Amino acid sequence: DLPLLSRIQSDTQALRALFGSGAVATAADLLLFVSMLAVMAATSLRLTLVLVGIVPAMAILLRTFHRRTHPLFHEVRRYTAEMGARLAETLEGLPMLASFERRGWALRELARLGAARYRIQLKGEQLFILWFHGINLMQVIALTLVLGAGGWWAKAGVVSLGTLAMFLGYLRRFFAPLDPSSPRSSRRTA
């Protein structure tokens, strides 16, 4: 009964975080992304197409990250709920455990659950580090493409320096929703 209650509480907190702020932030970020693309395309279709060329790679990176980390974070929540329930059972039955000299067993069981949770959470954190570096690499590639193509076209008179400056400003905002160091990003990946 206690594991079920701990699990319900953990899942309720995760749903509250998702629908409370995550879904709204995701919708706002999607609207901002589409609006930025529209403004950039209206200003310079050439530079927009250069930037949009990295979107499939970003989508693959995002999908891979989500597919690999979602089960891990689900397991971490499961172990956390199980640890909470086991701790509550242990504290409630402490006099009985002491009378049968089973306190050591109870502590070892809690340590086993904690170690299993730690190993799974460590895998998730390692994937998160890869995500962080992948997004940073995408930002550098996008910056290089925009500066390279935009600089070339500005020199040739195809785009203005103002347009290039606008694209560089939008480029920073372009990656903001996916930036792992952003508090909004961490709410959506939990």
Side-chain angles (χ1 to χ4, degrees):
D1 193 35
L2 285 174
L4 179 62
L5 292 176
S6 293
R7 180 64 188 264
I8 289 171
Q9 183 180 10
S10 175
D11 289 348
T12 302
Q13 289 172 349
L15 286 171
R16 184 177 298 128
L18 172 68
F19 291 114
S21 59
V24 173
T26 300
D29 289 338
L30 187 59
L31 180 63
L32 179 65
F33 180 77
V34 170
S35 300
M36 283 190 316
L37 281 178
V39 169
M40 289 189 297
T43 306
S44 174
L45 187 58
R46 283 182 176 193
L47 274 178
T48 304
L49 292 175
V50 167
L51 190 56
V52 168
I54 66 165
V55 170
M58 289 171 45
I60 290 169
L61 183 65
L62 179 61
R63 178 69 181 138
T64 302
F65 175 74
H66 184 266
R67 191 178 68 242
R68 304 255 333 257
T69 58
H70 184 72
L72 293 176
F73 291 137
H74 180 73
E75 281 295 301
V76 166
R77 283 196 306 270
R78 187 180 69 77
Y79 272 107
T80 301
E82 190 174 341
M83 287 172 59
R86 185 66 53 100
L87 181 61
E89 289 173 355
T90 301
L91 291 175
E92 186 178 312
L94 201 54
M96 184 67 72
L97 289 170
S99 68
F100 288 104
E101 297 182 8
R102 299 288 288 172
R103 287 182 294 195
W105 169 84
L107 290 175
R108 284 190 302 277
E109 188 62 19
L110 283 170
R112 182 191 65 78
L113 289 171
R117 179 186 178 273
Y118 172 78
R119 283 190 301 275
I120 292 169
Q121 189 165 8
L122 182 62
K123 287 179 190 175
E125 294 298 327
Q126 289 168 337
L127 288 170
F128 191 77
I129 290 168
L130 289 174
W131 164 258
F132 179 80
H133 290 300
I135 289 300
N136 283 335
L137 178 64
M138 291 291 165
Q139 287 177 324
V140 169
I141 291 171
L143 180 63
T144 303
L145 289 172
V146 168
L147 280 175
W152 186 268
W153 290 330
K155 184 178 177 184
V158 176
V159 297
S160 70
L161 288 177
T163 299
L164 186 56
M166 181 197 81
F167 268 77
L168 292 176
Y170 274 143
L171 189 59
R172 186 179 54 79
R173 300 282 314 254
F174 192 76
F175 284 94
L178 300 176
D179 183 0
S181 62
S182 164
R184 291 170 65 187
S185 178
S186 63
R187 279 198 310 258
R188 280 190 290 265
T189 57

XYZ file of all heavy atoms in Angstrom, residues 105-156:
420
model
N 19.600 -5.768 8.071
C 19.006 -6.183 6.793
C 18.218 -5.042 6.168
O 18.329 -4.775 4.966
C 18.087 -7.392 7.013
C 17.263 -7.708 5.815
C 17.629 -8.441 4.734
C 15.931 -7.254 5.546
N 16.617 -8.479 3.810
C 15.561 -7.760 4.291
C 15.022 -6.472 6.247
C 14.315 -7.508 3.724
C 13.782 -6.238 5.678
C 13.448 -6.745 4.433
N 17.440 -4.331 6.990
C 16.627 -3.208 6.480
C 17.523 -2.107 5.927
O 17.237 -1.537 4.864
C 15.717 -2.677 7.582
N 18.619 -1.816 6.633
C 19.548 -0.784 6.150
C 20.228 -1.215 4.855
O 20.413 -0.410 3.943
C 20.583 -0.462 7.224
C 20.061 0.289 8.444
C 21.155 0.432 9.493
C 19.516 1.642 8.046
N 20.608 -2.476 4.759
C 21.229 -2.980 3.520
C 20.246 -2.916 2.351
O 20.627 -2.601 1.224
C 21.738 -4.409 3.711
C 23.023 -4.488 4.511
C 23.623 -5.891 4.477
N 22.730 -6.926 4.978
C 22.563 -7.242 6.255
N 23.241 -6.595 7.195
N 21.733 -8.206 6.610
N 18.987 -3.190 2.615
C 17.964 -3.128 1.559
C 17.777 -1.693 1.077
O 17.681 -1.430 -0.126
C 16.645 -3.700 2.080
C 15.577 -3.851 1.036
C 15.933 -4.805 -0.095
O 16.835 -5.643 0.049
O 15.293 -4.691 -1.158
N 17.759 -0.735 2.002
C 17.665 0.676 1.614
C 18.913 1.108 0.834
O 18.812 1.837 -0.151
C 17.485 1.567 2.842
C 16.085 1.577 3.457
C 16.095 2.304 4.790
C 15.089 2.221 2.504
N 20.068 0.643 1.261
C 21.313 0.974 0.554
C 21.308 0.368 -0.849
O 21.767 1.003 -1.806
C 22.516 0.470 1.342
N 20.772 -0.848 -0.989
C 20.688 -1.479 -2.307
C 19.794 -0.671 -3.240
O 20.155 -0.411 -4.395
C 20.150 -2.915 -2.181
C 20.074 -3.653 -3.511
C 19.302 -4.952 -3.399
N 17.900 -4.775 -3.084
C 16.959 -4.407 -3.949
N 17.270 -4.153 -5.203
N 15.699 -4.285 -3.575
N 18.650 -0.252 -2.742
C 17.740 0.561 -3.553
C 18.388 1.894 -3.924
O 18.282 2.362 -5.062
C 16.427 0.806 -2.812
C 15.506 -0.397 -2.657
C 14.350 -0.063 -1.718
C 14.993 -0.853 -4.000
N 19.071 2.513 -2.965
C 19.747 3.782 -3.234
C 20.846 3.633 -4.275
O 21.006 4.486 -5.152
N 21.608 2.550 -4.203
C 22.690 2.321 -5.169
C 22.120 2.072 -6.566
O 22.651 2.577 -7.562
C 23.546 1.142 -4.725
N 21.020 1.314 -6.646
C 20.398 1.061 -7.952
C 19.869 2.367 -8.547
O 20.046 2.632 -9.740
C 19.272 0.039 -7.808
N 19.238 3.195 -7.708
C 18.732 4.489 -8.172
C 19.880 5.371 -8.643
O 19.791 6.033 -9.674
C 17.966 5.183 -7.041
C 17.424 6.541 -7.416
C 16.802 7.211 -6.181
N 16.307 8.517 -6.483
C 17.043 9.631 -6.429
N 18.307 9.565 -6.105
N 16.509 10.793 -6.724
N 20.982 5.362 -7.902
C 22.146 6.176 -8.256
C 22.704 5.760 -9.625
O 23.013 6.616 -10.446
C 23.220 6.041 -7.173
C 24.522 6.701 -7.553
C 24.675 8.073 -7.454
C 25.588 5.944 -8.024
C 25.862 8.688 -7.813
C 26.781 6.543 -8.385
C 26.911 7.910 -8.281
O 28.080 8.507 -8.653
N 22.838 4.454 -9.856
C 23.389 3.981 -11.144
C 22.518 4.420 -12.317
O 23.024 4.866 -13.347
C 23.549 2.463 -11.130
C 24.741 1.967 -10.344
C 24.987 0.483 -10.560
N 23.863 -0.353 -10.174
C 23.628 -0.789 -8.944
N 24.452 -0.468 -7.960
N 22.584 -1.552 -8.681
N 21.223 4.320 -12.152
C 20.318 4.717 -13.232
C 20.356 6.228 -13.428
O 20.410 6.719 -14.561
C 18.884 4.237 -12.932
C 18.844 2.701 -13.005
C 17.890 4.831 -13.915
C 17.580 2.102 -12.471
N 20.362 6.974 -12.332
C 20.397 8.436 -12.442
C 21.722 8.889 -13.054
O 21.748 9.847 -13.826
C 20.191 9.084 -11.087
C 19.999 10.577 -11.182
C 19.447 11.171 -9.892
O 19.343 10.485 -8.876
N 19.094 12.417 -9.937
N 22.800 8.196 -12.759
C 24.102 8.532 -13.334
C 24.083 8.374 -14.856
O 24.599 9.223 -15.583
C 25.202 7.669 -12.715
C 26.619 7.942 -13.189
C 27.037 9.369 -12.850
C 27.578 6.939 -12.574
N 23.451 7.305 -15.341
C 23.319 7.124 -16.798
C 22.554 8.290 -17.416
O 22.931 8.808 -18.469
C 22.599 5.814 -17.115
C 23.414 4.582 -16.881
C 22.587 3.341 -17.217
C 23.278 2.089 -16.770
N 22.452 0.900 -16.977
N 21.474 8.702 -16.761
C 20.695 9.835 -17.258
C 21.507 11.118 -17.263
O 21.431 11.898 -18.216
N 22.287 11.329 -16.230
C 23.116 12.536 -16.166
C 24.198 12.518 -17.246
O 24.512 13.555 -17.826
C 23.753 12.679 -14.775
C 22.763 12.936 -13.660
C 22.001 14.234 -13.824
O 22.551 15.216 -14.352
O 20.831 14.266 -13.407
N 24.760 11.349 -17.526
C 25.764 11.249 -18.586
C 25.142 11.575 -19.944
O 25.752 12.278 -20.761
C 26.391 9.858 -18.590
C 27.291 9.617 -17.397
C 27.692 8.160 -17.234
O 27.024 7.250 -17.710
N 28.788 7.937 -16.537
N 23.925 11.102 -20.178
C 23.234 11.440 -21.424
C 22.921 12.931 -21.482
O 22.983 13.549 -22.549
C 21.958 10.618 -21.571
C 22.178 9.145 -21.888
C 20.869 8.373 -21.777
C 22.795 8.964 -23.257
N 22.587 13.511 -20.339
C 22.315 14.946 -20.285
C 23.569 15.746 -20.645
O 23.484 16.755 -21.345
C 21.818 15.330 -18.891
C 21.263 16.714 -18.819
C 20.002 16.994 -19.314
C 21.995 17.746 -18.263
C 19.474 18.278 -19.254
C 21.482 19.026 -18.187
C 20.217 19.285 -18.693
N 24.731 15.286 -20.208
C 25.991 15.952 -20.559
C 26.226 15.865 -22.066
O 26.628 16.843 -22.699
C 27.161 15.338 -19.761
C 27.044 15.734 -18.289
C 28.511 15.765 -20.327
C 27.961 14.959 -17.360
N 25.952 14.701 -22.654
C 26.080 14.569 -24.110
C 25.114 15.508 -24.826
O 25.460 16.113 -25.846
C 25.843 13.122 -24.541
C 26.936 12.128 -24.183
C 26.501 10.713 -24.538
C 28.239 12.481 -24.876
N 23.895 15.622 -24.308
C 22.895 16.540 -24.867
C 23.421 17.971 -24.829
O 23.336 18.705 -25.808
C 21.601 16.406 -24.075
C 20.615 17.512 -24.252
C 20.364 18.539 -23.404
C 19.739 17.715 -25.362
N 19.386 19.360 -23.909
C 18.988 18.870 -25.105
C 19.518 17.020 -26.543
C 18.035 19.349 -25.979
C 18.564 17.493 -27.414
C 17.841 18.645 -27.135
N 23.967 18.358 -23.698
C 24.507 19.707 -23.521
C 25.572 20.000 -24.577
O 25.535 21.026 -25.256
C 25.095 19.833 -22.113
C 25.698 21.175 -21.821
C 24.894 22.250 -21.483
C 27.066 21.356 -21.869
C 25.443 23.490 -21.209
C 27.634 22.588 -21.595
C 26.816 23.662 -21.261
N 26.500 19.069 -24.742
C 27.566 19.285 -25.724
C 27.035 19.210 -27.162
O 27.524 19.932 -28.039
C 28.708 18.290 -25.504
C 29.471 18.557 -24.247
N 30.134 19.739 -24.009
C 29.649 17.809 -23.136
C 30.699 19.695 -22.821
N 30.412 18.538 -22.267
N 26.051 18.358 -27.401
C 25.449 18.284 -28.733
C 24.769 19.586 -29.126
O 24.921 20.062 -30.254
N 24.022 20.180 -28.195
C 23.354 21.453 -28.477
C 24.383 22.559 -28.674
O 24.249 23.395 -29.577
C 22.347 21.809 -27.357
C 21.150 20.871 -27.442
C 21.896 23.252 -27.444
C 20.392 20.933 -28.757
N 25.414 22.563 -27.848
C 26.467 23.570 -28.034
C 27.150 23.408 -29.386
O 27.459 24.407 -30.046
C 27.492 23.501 -26.898
C 26.975 24.135 -25.630
O 26.106 24.997 -25.668
N 27.489 23.704 -24.508
N 27.378 22.182 -29.809
C 27.975 21.941 -31.127
C 27.042 22.445 -32.233
O 27.501 23.077 -33.193
C 28.276 20.452 -31.319
C 28.850 20.056 -32.672
C 30.217 20.696 -32.882
C 28.950 18.542 -32.777
N 25.751 22.194 -32.101
C 24.782 22.684 -33.091
C 24.804 24.221 -33.158
O 24.689 24.802 -34.233
C 23.368 22.207 -32.762
C 23.151 20.744 -32.923
S 23.201 20.289 -34.648
C 23.385 18.545 -34.499
N 24.937 24.869 -32.010
C 25.003 26.329 -31.992
C 26.239 26.837 -32.725
O 26.158 27.794 -33.490
C 25.015 26.846 -30.552
C 23.685 26.736 -29.862
C 23.753 27.190 -28.412
O 24.741 26.986 -27.720
N 22.675 27.803 -27.953
N 27.362 26.178 -32.505
C 28.601 26.589 -33.179
C 28.479 26.362 -34.684
O 28.887 27.215 -35.487
C 29.815 25.830 -32.593
C 31.055 26.030 -33.441
C 30.065 26.273 -31.157
N 27.901 25.232 -35.079
C 27.714 24.953 -36.513
C 26.799 25.997 -37.138
O 27.079 26.533 -38.214
C 27.178 23.519 -36.718
C 28.262 22.502 -36.362
C 26.683 23.316 -38.152
C 27.771 21.064 -36.309
N 25.688 26.307 -36.466
C 24.744 27.305 -36.992
C 25.416 28.673 -37.100
O 25.258 29.373 -38.112
C 23.511 27.386 -36.091
N 26.166 29.051 -36.081
C 26.865 30.332 -36.108
C 27.874 30.378 -37.257
O 27.952 31.365 -37.987
C 27.575 30.576 -34.778
C 28.348 31.874 -34.634
C 27.396 33.063 -34.726
C 29.107 31.892 -33.325
N 28.590 29.285 -37.440
C 29.569 29.208 -38.529
C 28.888 29.309 -39.888
O 29.358 30.036 -40.779
C 30.365 27.888 -38.433
O 30.996 27.822 -37.154
C 31.406 27.785 -39.526
N 27.770 28.606 -40.051
C 27.052 28.649 -41.330
C 26.500 30.045 -41.618
O 26.623 30.550 -42.742
C 25.915 27.621 -41.337
C 26.333 26.154 -41.397
C 25.121 25.239 -41.195
C 27.017 25.844 -42.713
N 25.885 30.658 -40.604
C 25.298 31.992 -40.811
C 26.388 33.023 -41.066
O 26.272 33.849 -41.979
C 24.400 32.388 -39.618
C 24.018 33.856 -39.681
C 23.147 31.528 -39.600
N 27.456 32.980 -40.268
C 28.543 33.936 -40.479
C 29.252 33.694 -41.816
O 29.585 34.647 -42.526
C 29.562 33.871 -39.338
C 29.198 34.611 -38.072
C 30.237 34.350 -36.991
C 29.049 36.091 -38.327
N 29.469 32.420 -42.162
C 30.152 32.110 -43.416
C 29.341 32.519 -44.632
O 29.794 33.314 -45.466
N 28.114 31.987 -44.711
C 27.270 32.299 -45.870
C 26.848 33.765 -45.843
O 26.887 34.453 -46.874
C 26.040 31.395 -45.887
N 26.453 34.249 -44.662
C 26.013 35.647 -44.558
C 27.133 36.627 -44.849
O 26.920 37.638 -45.517
N 28.328 36.341 -44.354
C 29.473 37.205 -44.647
C 29.808 37.218 -46.125
O 30.087 38.274 -46.710
N 29.771 36.047 -46.730
C 30.035 35.937 -48.171
C 28.997 36.739 -48.965
O 29.337 37.487 -49.876
C 30.012 34.465 -48.569
C 30.411 34.221 -49.986
C 29.594 34.146 -51.074
C 31.734 34.053 -50.485
N 30.304 33.920 -52.203
C 31.642 33.857 -51.880
C 32.990 34.031 -49.890
C 32.747 33.653 -52.675
C 34.084 33.812 -50.695
C 33.960 33.634 -52.070
N 27.710 36.557 -48.590
C 26.640 37.253 -49.305
C 26.636 38.756 -49.003
O 26.252 39.556 -49.850
C 25.283 36.633 -48.990
C 25.125 35.264 -49.600
C 25.693 34.813 -50.756
C 24.375 34.179 -49.071
N 25.335 33.504 -50.984
C 24.520 33.087 -49.963
C 23.583 33.993 -47.946
C 23.911 31.858 -49.766
C 22.984 32.766 -47.741
C 23.148 31.718 -48.645
N 27.048 39.132 -47.792
C 27.136 40.564 -47.474
C 28.245 41.204 -48.294
O 28.085 42.326 -48.795
C 27.390 40.761 -45.979
N 29.345 40.513 -48.455
C 30.451 41.025 -49.270
C 30.034 41.169 -50.724
O 30.417 42.126 -51.408
C 31.651 40.077 -49.158
C 32.878 40.564 -49.878
C 34.025 39.587 -49.680
C 35.236 40.049 -50.471
N 36.332 39.088 -50.395
N 29.193 40.225 -51.191
C 28.712 40.269 -52.571
C 27.535 41.235 -52.740
O 27.079 41.456 -53.863
C 28.306 38.872 -53.030
